[in-house]
Short mmCIF file of all heavy atoms in Angstrom, two decimals:
data_model
loop_
_atom_site.label_atom_id
_atom_site.label_comp_id
_atom_site.label_asym_id
_atom_site.label_seq_id
_atom_site.Cartn_x
_atom_site.Cartn_y
_atom_site.Cartn_z
N CYS A 1 36.93 -0.72 -65.60
CA CYS A 1 35.91 -1.67 -66.08
C CYS A 1 36.51 -2.55 -67.15
O CYS A 1 37.55 -2.30 -67.75
CB CYS A 1 34.67 -0.93 -66.56
SG CYS A 1 34.93 0.06 -68.03
N ASN A 2 35.82 -3.66 -67.44
CA ASN A 2 36.30 -4.62 -68.42
C ASN A 2 36.38 -4.05 -69.82
O ASN A 2 37.29 -4.36 -70.59
CB ASN A 2 35.41 -5.88 -68.41
CG ASN A 2 35.56 -6.68 -67.15
OD1 ASN A 2 36.59 -6.65 -66.51
ND2 ASN A 2 34.53 -7.39 -66.77
N ASP A 3 35.41 -3.18 -70.17
CA ASP A 3 35.41 -2.59 -71.48
C ASP A 3 36.68 -1.73 -71.72
O ASP A 3 37.35 -1.84 -72.72
CB ASP A 3 34.15 -1.72 -71.70
CG ASP A 3 32.90 -2.52 -71.66
OD1 ASP A 3 32.96 -3.71 -71.95
OD2 ASP A 3 31.85 -1.92 -71.32
N CYS A 4 36.99 -0.88 -70.73
CA CYS A 4 38.18 -0.03 -70.85
C CYS A 4 39.44 -0.86 -70.82
O CYS A 4 40.40 -0.58 -71.57
CB CYS A 4 38.19 1.00 -69.75
SG CYS A 4 36.89 2.24 -69.89
N SER A 5 39.50 -1.87 -69.98
CA SER A 5 40.66 -2.74 -69.91
C SER A 5 40.90 -3.45 -71.22
O SER A 5 42.06 -3.51 -71.69
CB SER A 5 40.47 -3.74 -68.76
OG SER A 5 41.59 -4.57 -68.68
N ASN A 6 39.84 -3.98 -71.81
CA ASN A 6 40.02 -4.67 -73.09
C ASN A 6 40.44 -3.71 -74.21
O ASN A 6 41.28 -4.05 -75.03
CB ASN A 6 38.71 -5.36 -73.49
CG ASN A 6 38.39 -6.54 -72.61
OD1 ASN A 6 39.28 -7.12 -71.99
ND2 ASN A 6 37.13 -6.90 -72.50
N ARG A 7 39.85 -2.54 -74.20
CA ARG A 7 40.19 -1.52 -75.21
C ARG A 7 41.68 -1.13 -75.12
O ARG A 7 42.38 -1.05 -76.12
CB ARG A 7 39.31 -0.29 -75.09
CG ARG A 7 39.51 0.71 -76.19
CD ARG A 7 38.57 1.89 -76.09
NE ARG A 7 38.97 2.73 -74.97
CZ ARG A 7 38.20 3.03 -73.93
NH1 ARG A 7 36.98 2.59 -73.85
NH2 ARG A 7 38.63 3.80 -72.95
N ILE A 8 42.16 -0.90 -73.91
CA ILE A 8 43.55 -0.53 -73.71
C ILE A 8 44.49 -1.66 -74.11
O ILE A 8 45.52 -1.44 -74.76
CB ILE A 8 43.78 -0.09 -72.25
CG1 ILE A 8 43.14 1.26 -72.02
CG2 ILE A 8 45.28 -0.05 -71.93
CD1 ILE A 8 43.14 1.71 -70.59
N SER A 9 44.15 -2.89 -73.75
CA SER A 9 45.03 -4.03 -74.09
C SER A 9 45.07 -4.25 -75.60
O SER A 9 46.12 -4.55 -76.17
CB SER A 9 44.58 -5.30 -73.36
OG SER A 9 43.29 -5.65 -73.77
N GLU A 10 43.95 -4.05 -76.29
CA GLU A 10 43.91 -4.20 -77.77
C GLU A 10 44.75 -3.13 -78.44
O GLU A 10 45.52 -3.41 -79.35
CB GLU A 10 42.50 -4.15 -78.29
CG GLU A 10 41.66 -5.35 -77.95
CD GLU A 10 40.19 -5.19 -78.30
OE1 GLU A 10 39.82 -4.12 -78.84
OE2 GLU A 10 39.42 -6.11 -78.01
N LYS A 11 44.63 -1.89 -77.98
CA LYS A 11 45.40 -0.81 -78.56
C LYS A 11 46.87 -0.93 -78.28
O LYS A 11 47.71 -0.65 -79.13
CB LYS A 11 44.88 0.53 -78.09
CG LYS A 11 43.50 0.84 -78.64
CD LYS A 11 43.14 2.27 -78.39
CE LYS A 11 41.77 2.52 -79.01
NZ LYS A 11 41.65 3.81 -79.62
N THR A 12 47.21 -1.40 -77.10
CA THR A 12 48.62 -1.62 -76.76
C THR A 12 49.20 -2.73 -77.61
O THR A 12 50.34 -2.63 -78.12
CB THR A 12 48.77 -1.97 -75.27
OG1 THR A 12 48.19 -0.92 -74.48
CG2 THR A 12 50.21 -2.16 -74.88
N GLN A 13 48.47 -3.81 -77.78
CA GLN A 13 48.92 -4.93 -78.64
C GLN A 13 49.12 -4.44 -80.06
O GLN A 13 50.12 -4.84 -80.71
CB GLN A 13 47.93 -6.07 -78.56
CG GLN A 13 48.46 -7.36 -79.16
CD GLN A 13 49.68 -7.88 -78.44
OE1 GLN A 13 49.82 -7.72 -77.21
NE2 GLN A 13 50.58 -8.47 -79.17
N ALA A 14 48.25 -3.61 -80.57
CA ALA A 14 48.39 -3.09 -81.93
C ALA A 14 49.64 -2.21 -82.02
O ALA A 14 50.34 -2.27 -83.04
CB ALA A 14 47.15 -2.26 -82.32
N ARG A 15 49.96 -1.43 -80.99
CA ARG A 15 51.14 -0.59 -81.02
C ARG A 15 52.41 -1.46 -80.94
O ARG A 15 53.42 -1.14 -81.57
CB ARG A 15 51.14 0.37 -79.83
CG ARG A 15 50.17 1.50 -80.05
CD ARG A 15 50.08 2.42 -78.84
NE ARG A 15 51.36 2.91 -78.45
CZ ARG A 15 51.65 3.32 -77.20
NH1 ARG A 15 50.72 3.23 -76.24
NH2 ARG A 15 52.83 3.77 -76.89
N ILE A 16 52.36 -2.54 -80.20
CA ILE A 16 53.51 -3.44 -80.10
C ILE A 16 53.79 -4.06 -81.47
O ILE A 16 54.94 -4.18 -81.89
CB ILE A 16 53.29 -4.52 -79.02
CG1 ILE A 16 53.32 -3.90 -77.64
CG2 ILE A 16 54.33 -5.63 -79.14
CD1 ILE A 16 52.91 -4.83 -76.55
N GLU A 17 52.74 -4.43 -82.19
CA GLU A 17 52.91 -5.07 -83.48
C GLU A 17 53.46 -4.12 -84.54
O GLU A 17 54.06 -4.61 -85.51
CB GLU A 17 51.57 -5.67 -83.93
CG GLU A 17 51.17 -6.86 -83.09
CD GLU A 17 49.74 -7.32 -83.36
OE1 GLU A 17 49.07 -6.70 -84.22
OE2 GLU A 17 49.33 -8.33 -82.74
N THR A 18 53.28 -2.80 -84.39
CA THR A 18 53.82 -1.88 -85.37
C THR A 18 55.33 -1.76 -85.24
O THR A 18 55.99 -1.39 -86.19
CB THR A 18 53.21 -0.46 -85.19
OG1 THR A 18 53.57 0.04 -83.90
CG2 THR A 18 51.71 -0.50 -85.39
N GLY A 19 55.88 -2.07 -84.11
CA GLY A 19 57.33 -1.97 -83.91
C GLY A 19 57.75 -0.64 -83.35
O GLY A 19 58.93 -0.44 -83.07
N ASN A 20 56.86 0.30 -83.17
CA ASN A 20 57.19 1.63 -82.64
C ASN A 20 57.06 1.71 -81.12
O ASN A 20 57.29 2.77 -80.56
CB ASN A 20 56.31 2.71 -83.27
CG ASN A 20 56.56 2.84 -84.75
OD1 ASN A 20 57.66 2.59 -85.21
ND2 ASN A 20 55.54 3.23 -85.51
N PHE A 21 56.68 0.64 -80.52
CA PHE A 21 56.46 0.60 -79.08
C PHE A 21 57.70 0.07 -78.40
O PHE A 21 58.26 -0.95 -78.78
CB PHE A 21 55.26 -0.30 -78.77
CG PHE A 21 54.82 -0.25 -77.35
CD1 PHE A 21 54.06 0.76 -76.87
CD2 PHE A 21 55.17 -1.30 -76.49
CE1 PHE A 21 53.65 0.78 -75.55
CE2 PHE A 21 54.74 -1.25 -75.19
CZ PHE A 21 53.99 -0.23 -74.70
N LYS A 22 58.22 0.79 -77.41
CA LYS A 22 59.41 0.36 -76.71
C LYS A 22 59.07 0.05 -75.26
O LYS A 22 58.36 0.81 -74.61
CB LYS A 22 60.47 1.44 -76.75
CG LYS A 22 60.99 1.72 -78.12
CD LYS A 22 62.06 2.78 -78.08
CE LYS A 22 62.54 3.10 -79.47
NZ LYS A 22 63.54 4.17 -79.46
N PHE A 23 59.60 -1.05 -74.79
CA PHE A 23 59.47 -1.37 -73.36
C PHE A 23 60.68 -0.77 -72.67
O PHE A 23 61.83 -1.07 -72.98
CB PHE A 23 59.47 -2.89 -73.14
CG PHE A 23 58.20 -3.54 -73.52
CD1 PHE A 23 58.11 -4.32 -74.65
CD2 PHE A 23 57.06 -3.39 -72.74
CE1 PHE A 23 56.93 -4.94 -74.98
CE2 PHE A 23 55.89 -4.00 -73.07
CZ PHE A 23 55.81 -4.77 -74.22
N TYR A 24 60.45 0.05 -71.68
CA TYR A 24 61.52 0.67 -70.91
C TYR A 24 61.69 -0.12 -69.62
O TYR A 24 61.52 0.42 -68.55
CB TYR A 24 61.23 2.13 -70.65
CG TYR A 24 61.26 2.98 -71.90
CD1 TYR A 24 60.10 3.39 -72.50
CD2 TYR A 24 62.46 3.32 -72.48
CE1 TYR A 24 60.10 4.15 -73.64
CE2 TYR A 24 62.49 4.09 -73.63
CZ TYR A 24 61.33 4.49 -74.22
OH TYR A 24 61.35 5.23 -75.33
N ARG A 25 62.05 -1.36 -69.77
CA ARG A 25 62.29 -2.19 -68.60
C ARG A 25 63.78 -2.35 -68.42
O ARG A 25 64.54 -2.47 -69.37
CB ARG A 25 61.64 -3.56 -68.81
CG ARG A 25 60.15 -3.49 -68.85
CD ARG A 25 59.56 -4.86 -68.96
NE ARG A 25 58.12 -4.79 -69.06
CZ ARG A 25 57.36 -5.77 -69.44
NH1 ARG A 25 57.87 -6.91 -69.82
NH2 ARG A 25 56.04 -5.62 -69.47
N LYS A 26 64.17 -2.35 -67.21
CA LYS A 26 65.56 -2.52 -66.90
C LYS A 26 65.97 -3.97 -67.12
O LYS A 26 65.34 -4.87 -66.61
CB LYS A 26 65.80 -2.10 -65.44
CG LYS A 26 67.25 -1.97 -65.08
CD LYS A 26 67.36 -1.43 -63.67
CE LYS A 26 68.78 -1.19 -63.33
NZ LYS A 26 68.93 -0.68 -61.96
N ARG A 27 66.98 -4.12 -67.91
CA ARG A 27 67.44 -5.50 -68.16
C ARG A 27 68.25 -6.00 -66.97
O ARG A 27 69.15 -5.29 -66.47
CB ARG A 27 68.32 -5.54 -69.43
CG ARG A 27 67.51 -5.26 -70.64
CD ARG A 27 68.36 -5.44 -71.84
NE ARG A 27 67.61 -5.06 -73.03
CZ ARG A 27 67.86 -5.51 -74.23
NH1 ARG A 27 68.87 -6.33 -74.42
NH2 ARG A 27 67.13 -5.11 -75.23
N SER A 28 67.95 -7.17 -66.56
CA SER A 28 68.68 -7.72 -65.41
C SER A 28 69.95 -8.42 -65.94
O SER A 28 69.88 -9.21 -66.85
CB SER A 28 67.81 -8.69 -64.66
OG SER A 28 67.46 -9.76 -65.48
N GLU A 29 71.03 -8.05 -65.36
CA GLU A 29 72.29 -8.67 -65.75
C GLU A 29 72.52 -9.90 -64.88
O GLU A 29 72.28 -9.86 -63.66
CB GLU A 29 73.43 -7.68 -65.57
CG GLU A 29 73.30 -6.46 -66.44
CD GLU A 29 74.44 -5.48 -66.16
OE1 GLU A 29 75.39 -5.83 -65.45
OE2 GLU A 29 74.33 -4.36 -66.67
N LYS A 30 72.98 -10.95 -65.50
CA LYS A 30 73.26 -12.15 -64.71
C LYS A 30 74.47 -11.92 -63.85
O LYS A 30 75.49 -11.43 -64.29
CB LYS A 30 73.52 -13.36 -65.66
CG LYS A 30 72.26 -13.90 -66.26
CD LYS A 30 72.55 -15.23 -66.84
CE LYS A 30 71.25 -15.89 -67.25
NZ LYS A 30 71.50 -17.20 -67.81
N ASP A 31 74.33 -12.28 -62.64
CA ASP A 31 75.42 -12.15 -61.68
C ASP A 31 75.91 -13.53 -61.30
O ASP A 31 75.17 -14.35 -60.81
CB ASP A 31 74.92 -11.40 -60.43
CG ASP A 31 76.04 -10.94 -59.55
OD1 ASP A 31 77.21 -10.99 -59.99
OD2 ASP A 31 75.76 -10.53 -58.44
N ASP A 32 77.13 -13.80 -61.61
CA ASP A 32 77.72 -15.11 -61.31
C ASP A 32 78.31 -15.17 -59.91
O ASP A 32 79.42 -15.58 -59.70
CB ASP A 32 78.80 -15.46 -62.32
CG ASP A 32 78.26 -15.60 -63.72
OD1 ASP A 32 77.07 -15.95 -63.83
OD2 ASP A 32 79.00 -15.38 -64.71
#
């Protein structure tokens, strides 16, 4: 629901702003 979605996005944004949140995304290397 929209309420839960908004709540999760706000809490995630707050965690990102603290600096303790890490994105575990694979970095794409440029291939020439």
